[in-house]
Amino acid sequence: MGRLSKPLVEVLIALAAVIGIGFALLQWFLVSKIKLSEQPAKGGKSKTDDGVCDDDEEGPEGFEAVRKCSEIQNAITIDGSNILKLLYEYFRMFGFDLVADQSEWATEARLSSLGKPDEQNKLPYTSDELGRFNRSTWCLSPFVVFLIISNAIVPTGATSFLITEYKYLGVFMLVFAIMIFLFLGSVRSYSTHSQPCHYNKNQMCKSSLANAVFSTLAFLLGALTSVLSGFLGMKIATFANARTTLEARKGVGKAFSAAFRSGAVMGFLLASSALLVLYITINLFKIYYGDDWEGLYESITGYGLGGSSVALFGRVGGGIYTKAADVGADLVGKVERNIPEDDPRNPAVIADNVGDNVGDIAGMGSDLFGSYAESSCAALFMGAISSFGQTHNFSAMSYPLLISSMGIIVCLLTTLFATDFFEIKDVKQIEPALKWQLIISTVLMTGGIAIVSFVALPPKFTLYDFGNQKIVKNWHLFFCVSVGLWAGLIIGYSTEYFTSNTYKPVQAVADSCRTGAATNVIFGLALGYKSVIIPIFAIIVAIFVSFSLASMYGVAVAALGMLSTIATGLAIDAYGPISDNAGGIAEMAGMSHSIRKRTDALDAAGNTTAAIGKGFAIGSAALVSLSLYGAFVSRSGIDTVNVLTPKVIIGLVAGAMLPYWFSAMTMRSVGSAALKMVEEVRRQFNTIPGLMEGTTQPDYATCVKISTDASLREMIPPGALVMLTPLITGIFFGVETLSGVLAGALVSGVQVAISASNTGGAWDNAKKYIEAGVSDHAKSLGPKGSDAHKAAVIGDTVGDPLKDTSGPSLNILIKLMAVESLVLAPFFAAHGGLLFKWFS
């Protein structure tokens, strides 16, 4: 038996989740102390933490920058000006005088459309208007609420776009949930009688109807948690971007701390809430299932399916949104008009910043939540059919949850190194500080894995290995989890080498721009193909070691090991888009060169860490998919998968094709939306007088609408391809062909995803290398607007849908098809293969 008692295990898991959520809220509180209404310093220049005296913190100019940052943040989050105007007119209509309140709410809510600042008191609204803000609490009638809601459902910002997207997903999830219930319930004609267990025939398990009901509930809970993960991540990102910009006035260290703390909010909220919801779900289901652990954990697999279903549409929809805007902004603004990337004259710039949040933040949050949920569910299911599952050893069964709990504590300690123990004082320290987060968390987690393995697991136990019994020791699982953890670090550093402009591969891509865009594209593609080698070998070693030691259960916990430091990984990943938005806001607000230099340094480091995050996501997807694949093969009753049989080989070939079909659909969607965006941006530059001179504001709303409409419309076909493939294959061709489809998609999808993500990242950083001009070589290729720079921009534009739409979405494709097949395996095994049955 494991050395931990059941009550102690339950307390440890719940306590770790609560501590993680508390730490996230603490970080949110610390970020919220950065006021968007802070008054400028008086008299003289203030010295920043990197020793640079800055004019931006003094006088009306400094205050004007604060006001502009607040406006831009509101435009990115949700176009709040219309709401405030409606409220303002409503209060005036009833003649209310509102208290002259200088609270943060009043300050942040105040937009420039309500008047000019009171210069005497340094307030962002006129003294006359201040007198109107009192006795407001009771006059928020249903009419006002209706105005707010009606404005919020118009997709004009990140919040309202996600709300609209989740409306579509809500309908889809409800329909799919009904389908899961009908399919699983029909396995035994909706019988309510107990039945012999699939793996232990001497024990009675709950009915197939119960499995249908609880799998459906788990699916809905997973979908809801995934929605919450993405939405909360987006909220903190949009909350923090302007605050990061304002902190850059005080120095690069303050700005780094604001961005990283904000990323940590997302990381810890996601990791902790995912663990807590899964733990609560298991305990609630256990009230009904009792000692039927096989049925309990089989139904829990629906939790992973719900998480990945939302993640797929979030990734695809967000990726189409952001890249349509980014491509349009770059091609017209940077190449044709030779204006900066985030110039406020560019009509697509707000849509681009909104897209960073809905794609790279909300999409990534849902994606990694899906990976965590699936790896946990796969490990729990494989554990349930082992000896400690059959003997009801709660401590050993909870091993995957204890690993995740230890990961939260380790990541908490690791985060303190970046925010409290050390202070960033120079731009050169940013990237090393982020990379040290990966190293510290990996080293500490290795020790944590050893502790959990030796106190939670019995010294020796038996695992189910495709019909055979495999004797495993607790130190075997320590190596399984550890090899997954260190493989993730290797994949991360390999990704950094091939995508960071600090190293030769990206510098060679930048150098190829001297002869035009064609050679840039050729070098970038070659780099992407080559970058696949090291990650694949790392995954191979992880699979071989973990499978040899503990069969498919070992692969499942290896995937969990790679994701055990998910809180740190997500903090680093979310840091990138937050810094990117901060730089864009600094540019649009017209802040000084010294501030933009700091935000550019933050963005450059974030761009590399974002690529590392994608590498982690893809690597973990490979291990997660393999563990789910093993669980599917086991649950569907297949003894061996023989690739020489026609049923399997046709599935294998078709599955290998799916990532290319999926990529074609997503890239074409981006291209189609980008075409409309380019035409609209050109139209505005050509027809709006004074736009290039900066005397007229562009029509941001039309560009936002183009991205919104395109993403909501175009995310459906690729999503349907992924969701329907296992259904069609399993129903008409059977479980053997479906096993071939899953294997082919896994092998092909991982490599296409790594290549696409790294190619796009390399092109992006090659462009930034030329723009920054930090070395003699880079200066010889620049400056901005040179032929080499234009070639680099074109390469970056080609790479945008690769690294932010197709590549990241492919890892969800391979995971989602595997977990969907596992959840519906009983139905496919009982009623699948209709086509072969008809012709036999």
Side-chain angles (χ1 to χ4, degrees):
M1 297 293 288
R3 296 178 177 85
L4 299 178
S5 64
K6 182 176 182 291
L8 181 59
V9 171
E10 291 182 329
V11 168
L12 290 175
I13 294 171
L15 185 62
V18 171
I19 289 173
I21 293 172
F23 186 72
L25 295 177
L26 173 62
Q27 301 305 305
W28 194 321
F29 171 74
L30 293 174
V31 174
S32 70
K33 291 174 69 175
I34 305 167
K35 304 297 182 183
L36 289 182
S37 58
E38 64 178 331
Q39 297 186 13
K42 294 182 180 179
K45 300 179 179 181
S46 70
K47 200 170 186 180
T48 63
D49 62 9
D50 48 0
V52 179
C53 291
D54 202 340
D55 293 327
D56 284 288
E57 288 195 289
E58 59 172 284
E61 279 191 7
F63 178 76
E64 182 70 10
V66 177
R67 183 183 63 79
K68 286 182 178 179
C69 287
S70 179
E71 290 181 19
I72 296 165
Q73 175 175 285
N74 276 281
I76 293 170
T77 309
I78 177 170
D79 188 5
S81 57
N82 292 334
I83 298 175
L84 294 171
K85 287 176 184 176
L86 290 168
L87 287 172
Y88 176 69
E89 293 301 327
Y90 178 73
F91 291 138
R92 284 190 61 185
M93 183 170 63
F94 286 93
F96 289 107
D97 283 337
L98 301 172
V99 170
D101 174 56
Q102 297 183 30
S103 68
E104 183 180 358
W105 178 87
T107 304
E108 292 195 29
R110 176 65 184 76
L111 295 182
S112 61
S113 57
L114 300 180
K116 293 184 179 180
D118 179 348
E119 297 292 345
Q120 182 178 357
N121 296 313
K122 304 294 186 225
L123 297 175
Y125 29 70
T126 65
S127 300
D128 195 37
E129 289 167 342
L130 274 174
R132 299 192 180 103
F133 283 87
N134 76 15
R135 297 200 309 276
S136 60
T137 54
W138 65 273
C139 59
L140 283 172
S141 69
F143 172 69
V144 178
V145 175
F146 170 75
L147 292 177
I148 295 174
I149 294 174
S150 64
N151 185 278
I153 62 176
V154 177
T156 56
T159 301
S160 42
F161 168 77
L162 281 184
I163 290 173
T164 306
E165 183 182 48
Y166 290 154
K167 284 181 185 176
Y168 286 89
L169 288 182
V171 175
F172 166 78
M173 292 302 158
L174 185 61
V175 172
F176 202 77
I178 294 172
M179 187 181 67
I180 291 173
F181 172 77
L182 293 176
F183 279 19
L184 292 181
S186 67
V187 171
R188 292 182 180 268
S189 302
Y190 304 98
S191 170
T192 58
H193 300 293
S194 298
Q195 57 194 7
C197 295
H198 181 77
Y199 296 99
N200 187 358
K201 302 297 183 182
N202 298 323
Q203 183 177 341
M204 297 300 289
C205 288
K206 300 296 183 181
S207 66
S208 61
L209 183 62
N211 183 34
V213 171
F214 284 97
S215 294
T216 303
L217 289 175
F219 169 79
L220 292 173
L221 280 171
L224 184 61
T225 310
S226 185
V227 165
L228 187 65
S229 299
F231 190 80
L232 288 176
M234 184 278 304
K235 290 299 289 183
I236 184 57
T238 54
F239 180 80
N241 49 26
R243 287 171 166 82
T244 301
T245 306
L246 294 177
E247 285 293 271
R249 299 176 305 158
K250 303 173 184 176
V252 68
K254 298 289 186 183
F256 172 83
S257 182
F260 191 80
R261 287 185 190 278
S262 304
V265 174
M266 178 182 178
F268 283 92
L269 271 181
L270 186 146
S272 303
S273 61
L275 174 64
L276 187 61
V277 172
L278 181 58
Y279 171 71
I280 292 173
T281 303
I282 290 171
N283 278 278
L284 289 176
F285 283 18
K286 202 171 186 302
I287 295 174
Y288 173 79
Y289 276 100
D291 291 337
D292 179 11
W293 284 25
E294 180 183 315
L296 167 65
Y297 289 107
E298 184 174 329
S299 65
I300 285 293
T301 56
Y303 184 75
L305 176 58
S308 269
S309 299
V310 170
L312 174 69
F313 288 100
R315 263 299 195 186
V316 173
I320 293 171
Y321 189 113
T322 183
K323 291 305 108 181
D326 198 3
V327 170
D330 281 356
L331 284 182
V332 182
K334 297 180 74 172
V335 176
E336 296 181 8
R337 296 286 174 168
N338 197 25
I339 60 176
E341 184 168 355
D342 293 298
D343 196 297
R345 293 171 292 177
N346 195 322
V349 71
I350 291 293
D352 186 12
N353 282 279
V354 170
D356 287 337
N357 293 291
V358 299
D360 292 340
I361 294 287
M364 173 61 85
S366 295
D367 181 4
L368 286 182
F369 164 75
S371 291
Y372 165 80
E374 287 158 341
S375 60
S376 299
C377 291
L380 289 167
F381 175 75
M382 299 299 288
I385 59 177
S386 68
S387 62
F388 54 71
Q390 293 175 359
T391 58
H392 299 171
N393 185 338
F394 188 80
S395 170
M397 265 304 303
S398 301
Y399 180 70
L401 302 182
L402 289 170
I403 289 292
S404 299
S405 302
M406 178 61 75
I408 291 172
I409 304 303
V410 164
C411 290
L412 190 154
L413 296 174
T414 304
T415 301
L416 297 178
F417 281 91
T419 57
D420 296 272
F421 296 161
F422 299 100
E423 183 180 359
I424 301 294
K425 295 183 178 179
D426 186 80
V427 294
K428 295 180 180 178
Q429 296 177 327
I430 298 172
E431 195 167 319
L434 293 172
K435 288 190 287 188
W436 269 105
Q437 286 285 296
L438 297 175
I439 297 173
I440 293 170
S441 62
T442 301
V443 172
L444 291 179
M445 190 61 201
T446 304
I449 294 167
I451 294 172
V452 173
S453 299
F454 290 110
V455 302
L457 295 171
K460 186 184 296 185
F461 48 91
T462 305
L463 290 177
Y464 180 83
D465 182 20
F466 298 108
N468 301 316
Q469 302 297 320
K470 185 177 182 66
I471 304 299
V472 178
K473 298 180 180 178
N474 53 13
W475 61 267
H476 289 165
L477 287 190
F478 163 72
F479 278 108
C480 291
V481 182
S482 297
V483 76
L485 175 70
W486 284 92
L489 185 67
I490 292 170
I491 292 171
Y493 271 88
S494 169
T495 303
E496 185 221 1
Y497 176 74
F498 282 103
T499 57
S500 174
N501 54 32
T502 307
Y503 305 107
K504 289 184 178 180
V506 173
Q507 292 176 8
V509 172
D511 189 68
S512 70
C513 294
R514 290 183 295 105
T515 52
T519 47
N520 180 29
V521 170
I522 293 169
F523 270 71
L525 289 173
L527 179 146
Y529 297 150
K530 188 176 181 180
S531 69
V532 171
I533 299 171
I534 296 176
I536 291 299
F537 274 112
I539 293 170
I540 287 172
V541 171
I543 292 172
F544 179 78
V545 171
S546 58
F547 192 89
S548 299
L549 292 175
S551 189
M552 276 299 175
Y553 185 78
V555 177
V557 295
L560 204 59
M562 193 176 288
L563 292 166
S564 60
T565 55
I566 187 175
T568 294
L570 262 174
I572 294 172
D573 196 80
Y575 158 90
I578 292 170
S579 300
D580 189 5
N581 264 202
I585 291 173
E587 184 76 46
M588 287 184 278
M591 301 181 84
S592 72
H593 175 72
S594 61
I595 292 178
R596 291 200 296 271
K597 187 176 180 181
R598 293 173 195 143
T599 57
D600 286 348
L602 294 171
D603 182 24
N607 200 53
T608 299
T609 57
I612 293 174
K614 291 183 180 72
F616 263 96
I618 296 167
S620 64
L623 294 178
V624 168
S625 300
L626 183 58
S627 62
L628 292 168
Y629 178 74
F632 161 74
V633 170
S634 175
R635 184 62 187 85
S636 58
I638 303 174
D639 294 328
T640 58
V641 179
N642 187 351
V643 297
L644 296 180
T645 60
K647 289 182 179 180
V648 175
I649 200 166
I650 61 173
L652 198 65
V653 175
M657 171 272 299
L658 284 173
Y660 294 93
W661 188 359
F662 179 86
S663 298
M665 296 173 76
T666 53
M667 291 189 69
R668 182 177 176 81
S669 296
V670 172
S672 176
L675 181 62
K676 295 178 182 178
M677 187 70 71
V678 167
E679 291 173 347
E680 173 60 23
V681 175
R682 282 175 178 166
R683 183 195 67 78
Q684 293 196 33
F685 274 120
N686 293 331
T687 60
I688 299 179
L691 183 56
M692 272 300 292
E693 292 75 20
T695 58
T696 306
Q697 190 178 35
D699 178 10
Y700 296 124
T702 301
C703 292
V704 171
K705 187 176 187 303
I706 290 172
S707 276
T708 300
D709 292 345
S711 58
L712 294 176
R713 181 180 63 253
E714 300 288 349
M715 72 178 182
I716 296 173
L721 173 69
V722 177
M723 300 295 287
L724 293 178
T725 295
L727 286 176
I728 294 172
T729 306
I731 292 172
F732 291 102
F733 296 92
V735 290
E736 289 182 83
T737 303
L738 182 53
S739 68
V741 168
L742 297 179
L746 168 60
V747 172
S748 171
V750 170
Q751 307 197 47
V752 174
I754 294 173
S755 174
S757 295
N758 290 350
T759 295
W763 276 326
D764 190 1
N765 275 331
K767 177 199 69 175
K768 285 182 167 61
Y769 176 74
I770 295 174
E771 290 175 345
V774 294
S775 66
D776 292 338
H777 177 244
K779 290 175 183 176
S780 69
L781 300 172
K784 292 182 180 179
S786 66
D787 289 340
H789 178 249
K790 289 181 179 179
V793 170
I794 292 171
D796 176 39
T797 305
V798 175
D800 274 338
L802 287 173
K803 72 180 176 68
D804 290 324
T805 308
S806 297
S809 300
L810 282 172
N811 65 71
I812 306 177
L813 175 145
I814 59 177
K815 293 183 301 181
L816 181 54
M817 290 203 307
V819 72
E820 182 182 346
S821 300
L822 172 59
V823 170
L824 298 177
F827 174 78
F828 295 146
H831 303 299
L834 295 180
L835 196 62
F836 291 130
K837 290 177 182 177
W838 290 337
F839 288 98
S840 62

